[in-house]
Amino acid sequence: MLPLGLLALNWLRLYRPLVAARLPQAPNNAGPEGLGFAGPGFRALLAGAATEADLRIGSRLGGAAAKAMHAALGEAARTIARMPALYMTYPQGGPILPVQRSRTGSAPEALLLDAAYLRSFGSVRVPLHLWRALQRFAAWVEPALVAEWTRLMGDYARRMGQVFDAGAAAAAMRWAEPERDVALSRRLALGLLEDGAPLRCAWTGRALVSATLDIDHLFPWSAWPCGDLWNLLPAHREVNQRLKRDRLPSAPVLAAAEARILGWWQAAYLQANDRLLPVRFGHEARASLPGLGAGRGEYCDPEQVFAAIGLQRLRLRQDQQVPEWTMPRDSRESP
């Protein structure tokens, strides 16, 4: 089951730049005119009530931005339920993606785009076989969809006697990828060193100093571009750049590193004197890792996060065949 609000959020994120560029999304369309989901909320987003960067899990919005986002998500959710989810059926009948809608009520003064809020719009049931196929073949499915969407927009434009700018279409359809930014984690690690706290390589247990400190992506960026806090770990520069590199930690390596990873999370992200980082840590983990669910409150049990990492490791290994890293025995050092 997927939150209907999550599908609506991605719908807005995909359509907003296309509509803003006045690329036709239907015959005789330009801009928001004639699009069923382009109601007052979507038009407010187009007018600048919220930015493209706000269209992501974990965003906090207030005032006019919150009202516009709430309305736009409701408009998109209704369109999804009444159009693609309704008319996509099996040959023998019955919906492929059954939708259960919920009443969300009036627009809040402030909102957080988290799992609980996105689920308040309803849910969509995705068949397991379809979900697994999309996971495994995403590298081929996405380019095919983008190519067909571009062809369709070009066809609409030509029918209206307009010049279709393929470059503008490609730019508008480019999904904003997460940035490979480790600056925050590195600053926190350096702060621990400056305070005299011990800092060790998450994989080997070797003591770190500023000259040997690297921030490693637990799951390699090349296989799964994720800059979430839980995925950023202190590592010895030699381990990160020469030994592990773009490989997936094997199950024994990950298990051996559990105590050091949990200790790093606690020291860097989950200290009681910082109210924002623990909340961000929890939201990011729930949004990207399997099996965590909505949970209670804004925080997330780090041991549950570590267990979810184990599940995600299996997925990456099985579905993408990411090469594994088995740490050489002589590179280990007891903490």
Side-chain angles (χ1 to χ4, degrees):
M1 298 287 283
L2 291 179
L4 179 56
L6 178 61
L7 270 66
L9 180 64
N10 282 277
W11 180 287
L12 297 177
R13 189 172 173 182
L14 288 167
Y15 272 108
R16 186 180 182 276
L18 298 174
V19 176
R22 302 187 67 80
L23 292 164
Q25 302 305 305
N28 302 314
N29 161 252
E33 302 302 328
L35 300 177
F37 62 87
F42 184 80
R43 291 169 186 260
L45 293 184
L46 278 181
T51 67
E52 186 174 337
D54 293 320
L55 298 172
R56 59 176 177 81
I57 294 172
S59 287
R60 292 178 180 271
L61 301 168
K67 295 180 184 300
M69 183 70 75
H70 185 77
L73 287 170
E75 293 157 3
R78 284 192 296 273
T79 300
I80 292 169
R82 294 174 180 174
M83 295 298 292
L86 177 64
Y87 291 104
M88 291 172 59
T89 61
Y90 291 106
Q92 67 273 24
I96 297 174
L97 301 170
V99 173
Q100 292 182 341
R101 288 186 57 205
S102 302
R103 293 188 176 183
T104 57
S106 58
E109 290 296 327
L111 61 81
L112 169 66
L113 293 179
D114 63 355
Y117 173 73
L118 296 173
R119 194 175 290 111
S120 70
F121 290 87
S123 61
V124 180
R125 182 178 296 277
V126 182
L128 184 59
H129 67 277
L130 178 59
W131 180 262
R132 286 177 173 169
L134 290 173
Q135 280 186 315
R136 292 181 177 180
F137 301 113
W140 292 273
V141 171
E142 182 177 347
L145 290 175
V146 171
E148 178 60 17
W149 198 340
T150 303
R151 185 202 63 78
L152 193 60
M153 289 189 293
D155 188 44
Y156 290 151
R158 283 187 288 273
R159 290 184 195 178
M160 292 186 287
Q162 298 177 357
V163 175
F164 179 68
D165 188 340
M173 296 193 74
R174 186 176 298 115
W175 186 267
E177 294 289 350
E179 294 183 1
R180 189 167 183 164
D181 185 3
V182 300
L184 173 60
S185 296
R186 182 172 181 81
R187 185 167 68 250
L188 293 170
L190 291 173
L192 290 172
L193 289 174
E194 291 174 0
D195 291 341
L199 185 66
R200 295 185 177 272
C201 173
W203 304 117
T204 66
R206 295 166 66 179
L208 298 174
V209 296
S210 59
T212 59
L213 169 67
D214 260 8
I215 299 297
D216 177 41
H217 289 79
L218 189 156
F219 295 141
W221 182 271
S222 59
W224 200 50
C226 174
D228 292 353
L229 295 179
W230 59 264
N231 198 41
L232 302 177
L233 306 175
H236 195 283
R237 185 159 298 167
E238 181 184 16
V239 173
N240 184 37
Q241 298 184 12
R242 294 186 57 248
L243 299 178
K244 179 173 177 283
R245 303 181 67 181
D246 290 334
R247 289 181 289 175
L248 194 67
S250 67
V253 168
L254 185 61
E258 178 177 4
R260 289 187 291 271
I261 291 174
L262 292 176
W264 159 250
W265 288 346
Q266 187 63 45
Y269 307 136
L270 303 178
Q271 289 296 336
N273 59 355
D274 191 316
R275 296 184 299 107
L276 297 180
L277 281 180
V279 174
R280 174 180 166 180
F281 180 90
H283 286 321
E284 290 179 344
R286 290 193 184 100
S288 55
L289 290 171
L292 291 177
R296 294 183 178 179
E298 295 182 313
Y299 301 95
C300 206
D301 183 350
E303 293 188 357
Q304 293 181 0
V305 175
F306 190 84
I309 283 174
L311 295 176
Q312 182 63 24
R313 196 203 74 84
L314 283 175
R315 289 183 175 181
L316 291 173
R317 179 61 180 155
Q318 293 173 1
D319 294 344
Q320 297 190 28
Q321 299 296 303
V322 181
E324 283 191 324
W325 175 56
T326 302
M327 183 168 52
R329 184 174 298 276
D330 59 4
S331 67
R332 301 174 187 175
E333 184 173 315
S334 59

